[in-house]
């Protein structure tokens, strides 16, 4: 039991330190010790997603959902992953609705729902959800960038630039964002 906790916490720490390959190895060890821990499965799903190992990521999220079908964090992370890849958007929307029922003011979940609506081409709903995340005080560069992307699609170029620049203030090393600002469009 203690060995599982050590590997799990070590894996989470490595993930936060932006060392996803090492994080995956630690989380894999944790899951080999306790294969029925939804939190560890979800964490490994997130790390695999960062490593672009999407089939492995989906497998971990599916296993976590079988163990804990209403786990709002799993629902959010898996739903966002699907939306980010532009896959299974209706399923992702259902997942996020369940997560938001449990935590209606969770800024990450609101952004995820907004990103799903963005992918579906429903920019007004995307704006509504992402703005709510920002109004609740998020300081996530990704959320500001998402709102900039929404405004770009809505042909509100000045607002798009404004939010992209706010995102860049929070993530000054984001070259893709710098390029987007320079182009003035997605």
């Amino acid at each position: 039991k203690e060995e599982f906790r050590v590997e799990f916490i070590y894996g989470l720490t490595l993930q936060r330190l932006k060392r996803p390959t090492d994080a995956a190895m630690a989380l894999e060890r944790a899951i080999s010790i306790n294969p029925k821990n939804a939190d560890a499965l979800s964490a490994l799903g997130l790390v695999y997603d960062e490593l672009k190992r999407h089939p492995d990521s989906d497998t971990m999220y599916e296993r976590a959902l079988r163990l804990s079908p209403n786990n709002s964090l799993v629902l959010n992370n898996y739903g966002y992953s699907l939306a980010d890849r532009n896959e299974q958007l209706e399923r992702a929307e259902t997942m996020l609705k369940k997560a938001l029922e449990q935590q209606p003011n969770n800024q990450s979940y609101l952004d995820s729902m907004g990103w799903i609506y963005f992918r579906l081409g429903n920019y007004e709903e995307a704006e509504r959800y992402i703005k709510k995340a920002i109004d609740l005080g998020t300081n996530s560069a990704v959320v500001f960038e998402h709102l900039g992307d929404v405004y770009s699609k809505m042909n509100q170029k000045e607002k798009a630039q404004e939010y992209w620049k706010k995102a860049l203030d929070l993530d000054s090393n984001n070259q893709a964002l710098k390029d987007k600002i320079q182009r003035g469009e997605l």
Side-chain angles (χ1 to χ4, degrees), residues 95-108:
M95 288 180 191
L96 261 299
K97 284 180 179 175
K98 283 174 76 173
L100 282 166
E101 283 172 13
Q102 297 172 56
Q103 296 186 39
N105 291 319
N106 184 304
Q107 298 160 10
S108 294

Side-chain angles (χ1 to χ4, degrees), residues 18 76 80-81 84 107-116 118-119 126 129-131 133-134 138-151 160 163-172 174 176-177 180 186:
K18 308 264 189 255
N76 174 72
Y80 181 81
S81 175
D84 206 41
Q107 298 160 10
S108 294
Y109 300 1
L110 290 163
D111 174 63
S112 294
M113 183 62 95
W115 197 239
I116 291 165
F118 175 85
R119 292 295 198 186
Y129 277 93
I130 297 170
K131 270 190 71 64
I134 289 171
T138 189
N139 62 349
S140 166
V142 171
V143 177
F144 284 103
E145 183 177 0
H146 282 169
L147 190 55
D149 292 353
V150 169
Y151 286 134
Y163 282 94
W164 288 335
K165 287 176 182 168
K166 287 181 181 183
L168 191 60
D169 288 343
L170 296 167
D171 184 8
S172 60
N174 186 330
L177 185 55
K180 194 183 297 185
L186 293 177

Side-chain angles (χ1 to χ4, degrees), residues 24-67:
M25 290 189 293
L27 291 167
E28 288 163 354
R29 288 191 299 270
I31 289 168
S32 72
I33 297 164
N34 183 356
K36 295 193 182 294
N37 185 289
D39 293 330
L41 291 165
S42 176
L44 185 55
L46 184 64
V47 169
Y48 282 159
D49 192 56
E50 290 174 23
L51 293 168
K52 307 291 185 225
R53 292 174 56 183
H54 297 124
D56 294 328
S57 174
D58 292 353
T59 297
M60 291 302 115
Y61 285 135
E62 293 290 349
R63 285 177 59 188
L65 283 177
R66 279 195 297 279
L67 293 168

Side-chain angles (χ1 to χ4, degrees), residues 115-134:
W115 197 239
I116 291 165
Y117 286 126
F118 175 85
R119 292 295 198 186
L120 289 168
N122 187 341
Y123 304 123
E124 290 76 18
E125 280 297 288
E127 176 191 28
R128 188 169 72 84
Y129 277 93
I130 297 170
K131 270 190 71 64
K132 185 173 180 184
I134 289 171

